[in-house]
């Protein structure tokens, strides 16, 4: 029996695409779809338990471009109903592999390629040669796919404007981010004193301690906020900027009110004890952490970075948006939100489109998968 879907990812093991795979693949399998996960050695996604109906297939290569012969053979032999890949190099490989596998025949396999990156900004950061290659390849090769899936309208509009790709070829599909039980709000108490005591307001940040997350702006805003509100700040995550952030906090006199616990396996347990979530990225394709905070029911403020937060917060309806890098505006938004927080039910409405079952149904349609009797509309 031909598989319904083949997924071709090559991830770091802890990226947004990994999250997508870990939520999407088991959900599709539970709905009765036969899914093949095509793997490049040394890359994710990794599954601790392989769901029934899912096959992990080693393509026998350690690099995405050298996987072209193996992917072509797979498509010829297995003829999956659909193939879905994500990231530029894999998308190129998949487009070429399908063309080689089918020859002059009409394609047997529906091909969807995806990206979660705001291309114009990403290319500007990587230099002119990368920008030239990306603009040309996206504009010329992506029309050979059947569908281009992106995470937000901002990413879609930027891709069309930057590469000349027809906007009608690009479909915005919500990512499956949060499980339905998250909205119920039953979370274990974390083993951290700031979460266990009835203390001052706890502000939370979440993500890699890197430049793109811009936690330096959050710490500066927090220092301003503490002049009026005796709050605490906790940032979950690890990264190369840890020492720099701690030095900044010491210089601003707020080191005693900042904690960087590092990576925690269940950040939702911590988010559930927060008074406010602050999202300070300079660039995002969507913003998983912001969605998670809203699903828990925590008030949120965010930078208006390209491209996801404005869509998630619906132009500020569900939380204020401030300019990237503006710590004064961020402090003012944090202060106002702490003093007048929206209701939990109101905030959760913003995260509902990203509930796993609901978003999986959107992927079923975008990947042209056949409907199953147990498919949830």
């Amino acid at each position: 029996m031909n598989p319904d879907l083949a997924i071709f990812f090559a991830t770091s093991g802890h990226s947004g695409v990994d999250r997508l795979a870990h939520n999407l693949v088991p959900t599709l399998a539970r709905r009765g779809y036969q899914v093949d996960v095509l793997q490049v050695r040394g890359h994710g996604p990794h599954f601790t338990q392989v769901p029934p109906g899912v096959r992990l297939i080693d393509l026998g290569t350690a690099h995405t471009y050298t996987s072209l012969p193996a992917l072509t053979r797979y498509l010829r032999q297995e003829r999956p109903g659909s193939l879905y890949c994500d990231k530029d190099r894999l998308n190129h490989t998949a487009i070429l592999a399908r063309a080689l596998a089918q020859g002059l025949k009409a394609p047997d396999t529906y091909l969807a390629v995806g990206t979660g990156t705001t291309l114009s900004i990403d290319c500007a950061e990587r230099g002119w040669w990368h920008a030239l290659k990306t603009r040309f390849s996206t504009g010329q090769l992506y029309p050979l796919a059947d569908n281009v899936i992106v995470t937000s309208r901002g990413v879609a509009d930027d891709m069309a404007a930057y590469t000349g790709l027809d906007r009608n070829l690009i479909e915005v599909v919500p990512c499956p981010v949060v499980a339905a039980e998250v909205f119920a709000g039953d979370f274990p108490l974390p083993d951290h004193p700031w979460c266990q005591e009835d203390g001052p307001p706890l502000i939370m940040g979440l993500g890699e301690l890197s430049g793109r997350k811009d936690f330096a702006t959050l710490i500066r805003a927090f220092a301003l906020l503490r002049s009026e509100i005796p709050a605490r700040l906790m940032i979950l995550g690890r990264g190369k900027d840890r020492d720099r952030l701690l030095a900044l906090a010491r210089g601003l006199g707020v080191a005693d009110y900042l904690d960087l616990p590092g990576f925690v396996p269940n950040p939702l347990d911590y988010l559930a004890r927060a008074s406010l979530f602050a999202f300070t990225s300079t660039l995002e394709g969507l913003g998983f952490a912001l969605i998670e905070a809203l699903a828990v029911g925590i008030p949120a403020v965010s930078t208006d970075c390209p491209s996801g937060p404005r869509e998630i917060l619906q132009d500020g309806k569900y939380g204020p948006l401030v300019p990237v890098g503006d710590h004064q505006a961020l402090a003012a938004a944090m202060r106002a939100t702490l003093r007048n927080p929206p209701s939990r039910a109101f905030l959760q409405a913003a995260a509902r489109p990203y509930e796993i079952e609901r978003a999986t149904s959107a992927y079923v349609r975008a990947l042209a998968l056949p409907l199953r009797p147990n498919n949830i509309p």
Side-chain angles (χ1 to χ4, degrees):
M1 180 178 177
N2 302 87
D4 297 299
L5 173 67
I7 287 182
F8 182 37
F9 294 162
T11 68
S12 63
H14 51 80
S15 67
V17 180
D18 286 284
R19 292 279 302 278
L20 168 65
H22 291 146
N23 290 336
L24 181 64
V25 170
T27 308
L28 288 172
R30 285 197 301 272
R31 296 188 186 191
Y33 294 103
Q34 300 294 312
V35 182
D36 285 353
V37 178
L38 311 181
Q39 297 188 308
V40 177
R41 291 178 182 174
H43 297 266
H46 306 292
F47 293 87
T48 54
Q49 291 184 331
V50 181
V54 175
R55 295 191 302 175
L56 304 184
I57 296 180
D58 184 355
L59 291 178
T61 178
H63 196 280
T64 53
Y65 279 142
T66 58
S67 64
L68 178 60
L71 182 59
T72 303
R73 286 193 300 272
Y74 168 83
L75 294 175
R76 283 176 179 163
Q77 294 169 4
E78 301 295 338
R79 297 170 58 194
S82 298
L83 172 64
Y84 175 42
C85 48
D86 193 291
K87 302 299 182 187
D88 205 36
R89 289 183 178 181
L90 277 73
N91 295 341
H92 298 165
T93 303
I95 289 168
L96 294 173
R98 186 178 72 157
L100 292 171
Q102 302 296 154
L104 298 178
K105 299 186 300 179
D108 293 326
T109 298
Y110 183 92
L111 175 59
V113 299
T115 183
T117 302
T118 306
L119 283 181
S120 65
I121 299 177
D122 184 67
C123 288
E125 293 179 350
R126 293 173 180 261
W128 70 270
W129 177 240
H130 178 85
L132 182 65
K133 290 190 300 179
T134 300
R135 293 181 73 171
F136 177 80
S137 62
T138 302
Q140 299 302 312
L141 287 179
Y142 279 28
L144 301 179
D146 296 298
N147 198 3
V148 180
I149 293 175
V150 298
T151 54
S152 68
R153 290 192 309 274
V155 169
D157 294 341
D158 177 82
M159 178 183 288
Y162 187 67
T163 68
L165 188 66
D166 186 346
R167 179 62 176 81
N168 293 323
L169 295 175
I170 309 170
E171 183 174 0
V172 180
V173 182
C175 279
V177 178
V178 288
E181 55 266 26
V182 170
F183 294 90
D186 185 17
F187 300 100
L189 189 65
D191 184 19
H192 191 289
W194 289 5
C195 297
Q196 295 176 351
E197 62 187 36
D198 186 16
L202 176 60
I203 299 167
M204 191 76 68
L206 173 61
E208 182 184 6
L209 306 183
S210 66
R212 280 195 175 183
K213 299 302 180 182
D214 195 15
F215 290 124
T217 291
L218 175 55
I219 293 172
R220 292 188 180 97
F222 173 70
L224 286 179
L225 180 70
R226 267 203 60 87
S227 66
E228 298 184 39
I229 299 174
R232 291 167 168 171
L233 174 61
M234 184 186 300
I235 302 174
L236 304 178
R238 58 191 172 207
K240 59 183 178 60
D241 285 356
R242 177 184 173 86
D243 290 341
R244 184 173 67 86
L245 295 174
L246 289 172
L248 175 62
R250 286 193 296 270
L252 294 171
V254 294
D256 291 340
Y257 313 105
L258 168 68
D259 192 23
L260 304 178
F263 171 80
V264 298
N266 297 305
L268 295 183
D269 299 345
Y270 287 77
L271 285 174
R273 269 72 195 180
S275 304
L276 177 70
F277 179 73
F279 192 77
T280 53
S281 291
T282 62
L283 173 65
E284 288 286 346
L286 184 60
F288 283 21
L290 180 58
I291 293 169
E292 289 173 328
L294 293 166
V296 170
I298 300 304
V301 300
S302 176
T303 50
D304 191 14
C305 71
S307 293
R310 177 166 288 275
E311 295 171 43
I312 296 167
L313 295 174
Q314 296 188 25
D315 297 321
K317 175 182 177 180
Y318 292 102
L321 294 154
V322 301
V324 171
D326 189 337
H327 69 280
Q328 293 180 327
L330 180 62
M334 292 163 63
R335 183 187 310 114
T337 305
L338 283 171
R339 288 175 174 169
N340 188 26
S343 71
R344 183 169 176 270
F346 176 79
L347 293 166
Q348 287 180 322
R352 294 285 180 184
Y354 308 97
E355 187 271 319
I356 290 173
E357 294 289 353
R358 182 171 174 178
T360 297
S361 293
Y363 267 93
V364 167
R365 295 186 291 270
L367 297 173
L369 296 176
L371 292 181
R372 293 283 188 261
N374 60 340
N375 199 47
I376 300 173

